[in-house]
């Protein structure tokens, strides 16, 4: 059975299991700590997840957990993959005129990456991430989801030669957000790219249509605190790069990570003041074993970057695989940590965030589980 046949089987199973991602989360509630997501935060999460088809769970989905915030709340992230049942849901609603503006723009992005001759498809493949803010917008409405595109392999390597590739991703995100073209913004993004080291990669590029306009670029491959600081100085980050270097050095001294990532917000005026510093303990990003994360979590605890009770629950998240029995039969539920990010501003570390994931895999018709476990 191919990987594509595997996830098609899981999608069919999910159609019988739940009507929405919100219903699905209710079913796996015992596996989500109420200290991390509970009370009003849980109710808001269910409202937002209720907007997404349950078939989205055939691909990784998860939560952004603010570890320094005493509220048990989280934002919600799901994968949207071309040629899936969920993609067809968006595209069919758009063709019938039933999609809202945000969903219609996402359908247009899916249509573009469906084409085999699409240059955008050659750069980012057919997958995107949607990130839903659970807190209401200032006007009381629900914010449109953030959209993130992921360059495949080394499609935007830090060699300064992939400016065209970065530009086509920028323009696709501008269309997906319903924004007007901005040549100055694109130029600023390209300038940041040209200042990368050859061993780094642009891992993700995204934007939030309901927030202040900016393009978020994530660059990975840094292994030394001094290299992060040097890049920030070259890129024109307005903050104090020595603060970032000092923060990263705590983890470097303990050999707690395999590599780091830097997340910057870029607009027509340049690089924004806040940045994210992500920590990855292994080349594999879908880790379900807590042993990979103990070094990073220990340093965060020692430096007081997160609430102790939330860190404990974050560690408990990575418990590996569990077989559960749903309405449609047995399925495997995998929990793990994708990465941990420190948000750094003028006063140092302002927030620590844990990005955790679920994988759901149903049984094959001829027995077995449809996908390999992640270690």
């Amino acid at each position: 059975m191919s990987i594509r046949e595997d996830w098609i089987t899981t999608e069919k199973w999910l159609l019988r299991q739940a009507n929405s991602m919100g219903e699905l989360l209710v079913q796996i509630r015992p596996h989500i700590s109420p200290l991390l997501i509970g009370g009003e935060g849980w109710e808001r999460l269910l409202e937002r997840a209720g907007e997404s088809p349950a078939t989205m769970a055939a691909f990784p989905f998860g939560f952004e957990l603010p570890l320094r915030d005493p509220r048990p709340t989280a934002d919600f992230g799901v994968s949207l993959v071309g040629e899936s049942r969920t993609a067809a849901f968006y595209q069919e609603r758009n063709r019938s005129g039933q999609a809202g503006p945000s969903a219609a723009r996402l359908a247009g992005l899916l249509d573009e990456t469906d084409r085999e001759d699409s240059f955008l498809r050659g750069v980012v493949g057919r997958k995107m991430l949607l990130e839903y803010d659970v807190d209401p917008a200032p006007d009381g409405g629900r914010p449109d989801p953030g959209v993130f595109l992921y360059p495949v392999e080394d499609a935007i390597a830090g060699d300064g030669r992939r400016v065209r590739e970065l530009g086509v991703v920028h323009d696709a995100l501008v269309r997906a957000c319903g924004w007007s073209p901005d040549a100055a913004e694109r130029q600023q993004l390209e300038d940041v790219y040209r200042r990368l080291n050859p061993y780094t990669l642009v891992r993700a590029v995204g934007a939030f249509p309901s927030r202040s306009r900016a393009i978020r670029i994530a660059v990975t491959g840094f292994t030394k605190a001094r290299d992060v600081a040097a890049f920030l100085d070259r890129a024109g980050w307005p903050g104090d790069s020595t603060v970032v270097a000092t923060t990263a050095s705590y983890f470097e001294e303990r050999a707690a990570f395999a590599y780091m990532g830097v997340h910057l917000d870029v607009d027509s005026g340049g690089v924004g003041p806040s940045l994210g510093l992500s920590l990855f303990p292994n080349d594999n990003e879908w880790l379900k074993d807590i042993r990979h994360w103990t070094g990073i979590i220990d340093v965060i605890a020692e430096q007081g970057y997160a609430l102790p009770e939330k860190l404990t629950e974050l560690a408990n998240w990575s418990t590996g695989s569990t077989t559960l029995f749903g309405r449609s039969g047995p399925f495997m539920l995998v929990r793990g940590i994708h990465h941990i990010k420190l948000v750094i501003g003028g006063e140092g570390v302002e927030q620590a965030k844990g990005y955790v994931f679920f994988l759901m895999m149903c049984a094959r018709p001829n027995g077995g589980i449809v996908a390999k476990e992640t270690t």
Side-chain angles (χ1 to χ4, degrees), residues 108-124:
L109 195 54
L110 289 166
D111 289 342
E112 184 173 356
T113 55
D114 274 352
R115 294 189 292 104
E116 292 186 4
D117 63 347
S118 164
F119 185 61
L120 178 65
R121 174 172 170 171
V123 178
V124 299

Side-chain angles (χ1 to χ4, degrees), residues 195 197 199-200 222-249 252 260-262 264 275 277 344:
R195 286 159 176 77
N197 300 91
Y199 56 81
T200 58
F222 298 99
T223 58
K224 300 293 183 182
R226 64 175 180 269
D227 292 340
V228 172
F231 163 65
L232 292 175
D233 289 338
R234 292 195 304 272
W237 183 57
D240 184 352
S241 64
T242 62
V243 173
V244 181
T246 299
T247 301
S249 68
E252 184 179 336
M260 296 176 286
V262 175
L264 296 173
L275 69 80
L277 180 69
I344 302 175

Side-chain angles (χ1 to χ4, degrees), residues 80-155:
L80 180 54
V81 180
E83 210 174 358
S84 65
R85 285 180 179 267
T86 306
F89 170 83
Y90 276 88
Q91 291 167 304
E92 289 167 6
R93 285 180 63 87
N94 186 43
R95 284 192 288 267
S96 66
Q98 296 177 305
S102 176
R105 293 191 295 267
L106 292 175
L109 195 54
L110 289 166
D111 289 342
E112 184 173 356
T113 55
D114 274 352
R115 294 189 292 104
E116 292 186 4
D117 63 347
S118 164
F119 185 61
L120 178 65
R121 174 172 170 171
V123 178
V124 299
R126 304 181 71 183
K127 173 187 174 183
M128 69 185 86
L129 175 75
L130 305 182
E131 184 173 320
Y132 290 84
D133 292 335
V134 299
D135 288 334
D139 61 3
R142 295 180 180 178
D144 292 336
V147 184
F148 284 80
L149 301 177
Y150 293 82
V152 295
E153 298 177 350
D154 62 348

Side-chain angles (χ1 to χ4, degrees), residues 154-168:
D154 62 348
I156 310 183
D159 54 16
R161 296 182 296 179
R162 318 296 175 93
V163 174
R164 183 187 175 205
E165 285 82 350
L166 181 62
V168 76

Side-chain angles (χ1 to χ4, degrees), residues 243-267:
V243 173
V244 181
T246 299
T247 301
S249 68
Y250 297 142
F251 300 89
E252 184 179 336
E253 291 164 2
R254 297 279 290 273
F257 60 82
Y259 65 94
M260 296 176 286
V262 175
H263 308 250
L264 296 173
D265 287 336
V266 182
D267 60 22

Side-chain angles (χ1 to χ4, degrees), residues 17 39 44-45 51 79 131 163 179 199 219 228 258 277 302 315 340 346 358 362 371:
Q17 184 68 22
R44 288 199 301 266
L45 172 63
E51 302 170 21
S79 303
E131 184 173 320
V163 174
W179 295 337
Y199 56 81
V219 182
V228 172
L277 180 69
E302 291 167 6
I340 294 175
F358 278 120
C362 74

